[in-house]
Amino acid sequence: MGPESDNPDASWQYPGGHRPERPGSPEDDAAGTWKCLGPDPVPPHRDPAPSALRPVAGLFSAIAFVCAGLTLLSCLWLLGPIGAILGAIGHVRGERLGKWAGLASVAATVVSLAVYHFAPRDLTLDGSR
């Protein structure tokens, strides 16, 4: 061939029969005649293998809804703010129902506090006073 094949350690070599006058010229770049011998400088992007410890989708939202329900049923108003915090965490993590679970917990807390405040103190289950 020509002088370009004399150096086997050269990283860039011209594979054709003629060598252009100036490497990197517009006509040479348009033809795409230069090639790199060796590894690709940018490795292809590979997605990481799925982990066995992936979080369950909607876990924080589900727990927040459970806290909201328990707040309404038992008037344990302290579970409401816990549910609101869990709903906010779920929303930040990208869970679809995180925002609504947090708002439901806040609403359940307000209702629970209102029932606790306005219910008679001496109310019993058997109806006797």
Side-chain angles (χ1 to χ4, degrees):
M1 277 182 57
E4 66 272 345
S5 64
D6 293 340
N7 185 0
D9 295 307
S11 62
W12 291 89
Q13 294 185 358
Y14 185 73
H18 70 284
R19 184 178 180 131
E21 296 172 13
R22 190 170 48 117
S25 63
E27 57 272 356
D28 185 50
D29 288 339
T33 54
W34 289 87
K35 69 176 185 175
C36 177
L37 300 177
D40 191 14
V42 178
H45 177 69
R46 292 187 181 98
D47 291 332
S51 172
L53 300 175
R54 287 179 40 158
V56 176
L59 178 66
F60 289 103
S61 299
I63 295 173
F65 276 121
V66 168
C67 286
L70 288 175
T71 301
L72 281 177
L73 293 177
S74 65
C75 286
L76 293 173
W77 62 270
L78 196 57
L79 290 175
I82 294 171
I85 291 169
L86 290 173
I89 291 171
H91 178 68
V92 168
R93 288 177 56 119
E95 294 179 9
R96 192 169 49 99
L97 295 175
K99 174 175 58 172
W100 298 110
L103 290 174
S105 294
V106 169
T109 303
V110 169
V111 169
S112 175
L113 287 174
V115 167
Y116 182 75
H117 180 69
F118 292 115
R121 299 280 183 247
D122 56 353
L123 183 66
T124 60
L125 292 178
D126 61 2
S128 64
R129 288 191 162 223

